[in-house]
Amino acid sequence: MESNIPEESTSFVGRRAELRRLDSELARHRLITLTGPGGVGKTRIAMRAAGAALPHYPDGVWWADLAPLHGEQLLLATVSDAVGLSDHTARMPVAALCEWLADKQLLLVLDSCEHLVDACRNLTGDLLTAAPGLTVLVTSRQPLEVGGEWVTEIEPLPVEGDNDALALLAERAATASPGLRLTDPSHTAAAAEICRRLEGIPLALELAGAQLADSTPERVAERLNSRFDTLDGAGWAWTPRHRTLRTAIGWSHELCEPLERLLWARLSVFRGSFDETSARAVCAGGPLSAQGVRTALAGLAAKSVLTREGQRFRMLDTLREYGRMWLAELREEPALSARHAAHFVGFGRLAETGWLGPDQVQWYRRVAEAHIDLCTALDHLLVVDPERALELSAAVGFFWSCCGHLHEARDYLERALVAHRTPCPARTRALWALGVGVLLQGDLETADELGRQCSRAARADDDVEAMLAAGYLVGLTHLMAGRPLAAYSVADQALGPLVNAPFDSPARLRCHLIRVFALTGLGKLAEARTEATALRRGCVELGEYWTRAYTDYQLSLISLFQGSPKDSADHARAMLAGKKGIGDNFGIALGLDLLAAAVAAQGNGEGAALIYGSGQAFWRTVGHPQRGTPELRAVREECEQRARAAIGDHAYADAFRRATEERPEASLARVLAGEL
């Protein structure tokens, strides 16, 4: 049983009664919503409860963090990512998600739903109807009001006597100031006053504990009393506990250095996690220098305003809301949104340039990490600068298409192409990226038309790189339609006289790959092997993985055709390792089918059945039946028959079934470890 429950960055204190109650509720109800004010600890309780419940869900526990989402546009994509679905079809995303979950027994956690209540209400209703084995645990400041929903209100930590609020404050104080013991008689009165003033709200206590790095408990209690006395008659419209939290956040804000407060406000434009480079690019300016950003980041992390995730930072949504309020007060919101978008346009350019090089895998990871902020930038640019939206969507569209975000790639590219119709290089690249995306969804007719549009635009601009890109798209469409001769002709024409310079550009390299595929499809195996081997060698020297994986795919297929199944299996495993590195489930599914064929050709019927079953599990994650170029289909059928003949239909079906029921990632790990 697996999960993606986030790791806890700090110790967990108290909540034993709540966890016992929630364990019982999960056994009796299919939809449980934890409600309560911001900062009360709903997320931490859900994390603990979900982890404890893991043994009861054969298909795992899967966490979807909805706090970074601005509007419901990415809700389905976020939930699909969480449960391992990277749909490559043109179906409605909700239909694909319902089908994916229909036969599963899993727990889905939707964290921070309060800003998407209507959308989450509709989604949970659809999913619970379609998937009888599904349980949903929600955290929200208000219930979803769905039929069958069980609502559990989370209260603050108790503050009287030897209590959990004091225990939490004491732990955070010891972290902020090693050696400080709030249980010492000299500090107990002040510590109790802090807990009372903050009403046991965990986030408020966390912020107060961080202040003890530079202050005494008595001084913190005095400051809190002063601030709360000032605000008691201020006529705030918030509920009492919300007011307490906002007051505690405001107090922490006041205790920050001026440049830390400015950075806090400016960082609120990031929706997801961010690194120092992005923070400097977007937030430096005026009194806040690039070095000042680094210093202020460290200060905000020390004060628990930011949490660290390796080399990246994240801000809790409650604290982001407060920072956004101050950004509006400073009248910097439009300027920071523009700088945020401009930064990610530059990020997209760098990613596109870095695709062909030793940092390719790292760029796939970085694009994945920045996904929510790339979408935020695109939403902004579609309104204020559609041409830049075209540029950014084209730059990241190919990355997204390769690693499970086909729906977002197609949506943003189509919207950008409608918003900016004037011919320009960005529009041509966007047409190409959209064509690749729709082709991966199986829409050959639309891909063919987009390839023609891309070719016409490239010729009109006399743009050699765009002509090569169009050649790749048109050639790939021919290959998928079973026309290898046409694919070869298109690629050869696009490459022109510089046929021996495959690494001059990404588009030229991809056209060379089309030639290799086409040669294999035409049965020119010796020529295909020579070209594939040369391409692979160059990819290894360059540190490039995407093309390298597909050369391994071709070398595996060629070896199988030439009667060398062991070599075929070695190349198929190499392909799988490469595709795993960039998160390409479509490529993994292709590679598993090929590996199964190679294993069957070696006489290992059970191993082939298990690997074919693993491949089927990955095909399900992309929403397609088995796909690939036509020559692979015949290989699949022949080798499946061999495997069945080797161990019998009943044994084959049993092994295949067992593999399909295993988590795809777990079976892939066993394949790569040589256990299958």
Side-chain angles (χ1 to χ4, degrees), residues 158-409:
V159 299
E160 299 299 329
D162 187 12
N163 56 72
D164 289 339
L166 182 59
L168 175 61
L169 182 64
E171 285 210 14
R172 300 303 180 259
T175 300
S177 179
L180 177 61
R181 298 289 180 267
L182 295 188
T183 53
D184 289 350
S186 59
H187 297 313
T188 52
E193 179 64 10
I194 293 170
C195 294
R196 185 183 69 80
R197 274 298 190 181
L198 296 180
E199 298 187 50
I201 297 174
L203 177 56
L205 293 168
E206 298 261 1
L207 295 171
Q211 295 297 338
L212 292 170
D214 303 308
S215 189
T216 65
E218 291 71 27
R219 181 60 180 150
V220 168
E222 181 183 338
R223 287 171 176 168
L224 278 173
N225 281 331
S226 173
R227 181 171 179 84
F228 276 70
D229 289 343
T230 301
L231 292 170
D232 275 346
W236 289 17
W238 299 312
T239 62
R241 281 175 182 156
H242 194 182
R243 188 180 79 170
T244 297
L245 179 62
R246 291 294 291 263
T247 303
I249 294 172
W251 167 72
S252 293
H253 184 262
E254 288 178 2
L255 294 178
C256 289
E257 297 294 329
L259 293 182
E260 291 173 350
R261 294 199 293 267
L262 180 58
L263 182 61
W264 183 343
R266 290 179 175 179
L267 287 174
S268 68
V269 297
F270 289 97
R271 302 297 305 183
S273 66
F274 53 88
D275 58 18
E276 184 183 320
T277 300
S278 294
R280 287 201 309 266
V282 175
C283 300
L288 189 58
S289 66
Q291 180 57 43
V293 169
R294 169 175 285 187
T295 302
L297 279 173
L300 291 174
K303 294 177 175 68
S304 296
V305 175
L306 298 176
T307 56
R308 289 182 183 270
E309 300 175 348
Q311 298 300 309
R312 300 179 71 80
F313 298 88
R314 185 181 294 275
M315 188 182 294
L316 289 176
D317 57 321
T318 307
L319 301 178
R320 187 190 304 114
E321 288 171 11
Y322 192 86
R324 198 82 181 195
M325 179 187 74
W326 275 104
L327 192 65
E329 286 287 324
L330 294 170
R331 299 185 179 181
E332 286 195 349
E333 195 168 8
L336 264 293
S337 294
R339 287 168 65 176
H340 176 274
H343 168 68
F344 282 102
V345 170
F347 176 95
R349 290 173 186 153
L350 290 172
E352 201 170 20
T353 302
W355 185 89
L356 182 57
D359 295 328
Q360 185 187 76
V361 172
Q362 284 76 11
W363 274 113
Y364 274 98
R365 175 184 55 78
R366 292 184 64 189
V367 168
E369 289 174 337
H371 182 72
I372 190 69
D373 279 295
L374 287 165
C375 293
T376 301
L378 282 166
D379 289 334
H380 176 81
L381 292 168
L382 282 166
V383 175
V384 303
D385 193 345
E387 186 173 0
R388 294 286 78 76
L390 267 177
E391 181 184 351
L392 179 54
S393 60
V396 300
F398 187 71
F399 284 95
W400 283 354
S401 294
C402 292
C403 56
H405 291 292
L406 266 175
H407 287 284
E408 295 101 295

Side-chain angles (χ1 to χ4, degrees), residues 46 60 117 124 145 193 248 256 474 539 668:
V117 167
T124 54
E145 297 182 351
E193 179 64 10
C256 289
V474 173
C539 290
L668 178 61

Side-chain angles (χ1 to χ4, degrees), residues 114-134:
E114 52 273 349
H115 58 309
L116 299 170
V117 167
D118 290 342
C120 289
R121 178 188 305 123
N122 294 333
L123 179 59
T124 54
D126 289 342
L127 296 182
L128 290 168
T129 300
L134 173 67

Side-chain angles (χ1 to χ4, degrees), residues 20-211:
R20 284 195 300 270
R21 185 176 69 207
L22 193 49
D23 182 64
S24 173
E25 290 168 352
L26 284 168
R28 292 184 287 113
H29 303 283
R30 294 185 61 210
L31 173 61
I32 300 101
T33 299
L34 306 184
T35 63
V40 79
K42 301 182 295 294
T43 295
R44 291 298 297 272
I45 291 172
M47 289 166 64
R48 276 292 166 119
L54 182 57
H56 304 301
Y57 295 96
D59 293 305
V61 174
W62 306 103
W63 186 280
D65 180 9
L66 307 187
L69 304 189
H70 183 66
E72 63 183 76
Q73 181 182 348
L74 296 176
L75 173 61
L76 281 163
T78 301
V79 176
S80 296
D81 284 348
V83 298
L85 174 64
S86 51
D87 186 53
H88 277 54
T89 71
R91 294 176 296 174
M92 293 294 290
V94 69
L97 183 57
C98 285
E99 182 180 318
W100 173 245
L101 293 174
D103 61 349
K104 292 182 170 54
Q105 298 181 54
L106 60 78
L107 173 62
L108 171 63
V109 185
L110 302 179
D111 184 39
S112 300
C113 295
E114 52 273 349
H115 58 309
L116 299 170
V117 167
D118 290 342
C120 289
R121 178 188 305 123
N122 294 333
L123 179 59
T124 54
D126 289 342
L127 296 182
L128 290 168
T129 300
L134 173 67
T135 300
V136 181
L137 176 61
V138 170
T139 73
S140 176
R141 295 178 198 173
Q142 64 185 90
L144 299 187
E145 297 182 351
V146 178
E149 178 183 29
W150 181 268
V151 178
T152 294
E153 184 172 0
I154 301 301
E155 299 284 345
L157 295 168
V159 299
E160 299 299 329
D162 187 12
N163 56 72
D164 289 339
L166 182 59
L168 175 61
L169 182 64
E171 285 210 14
R172 300 303 180 259
T175 300
S177 179
L180 177 61
R181 298 289 180 267
L182 295 188
T183 53
D184 289 350
S186 59
H187 297 313
T188 52
E193 179 64 10
I194 293 170
C195 294
R196 185 183 69 80
R197 274 298 190 181
L198 296 180
E199 298 187 50
I201 297 174
L203 177 56
L205 293 168
E206 298 261 1
L207 295 171
Q211 295 297 338

Side-chain angles (χ1 to χ4, degrees), residues 591-629:
L592 285 168
D593 279 359
L594 200 48
L595 177 60
V599 169
Q602 295 178 72
N604 183 352
E606 182 179 13
L610 290 168
I611 297 170
Y612 268 132
S614 299
Q616 183 61 33
F618 271 97
W619 283 118
R620 286 192 63 200
T621 72
V622 301
H624 278 299
Q626 292 174 317
R627 292 186 62 204
T629 50

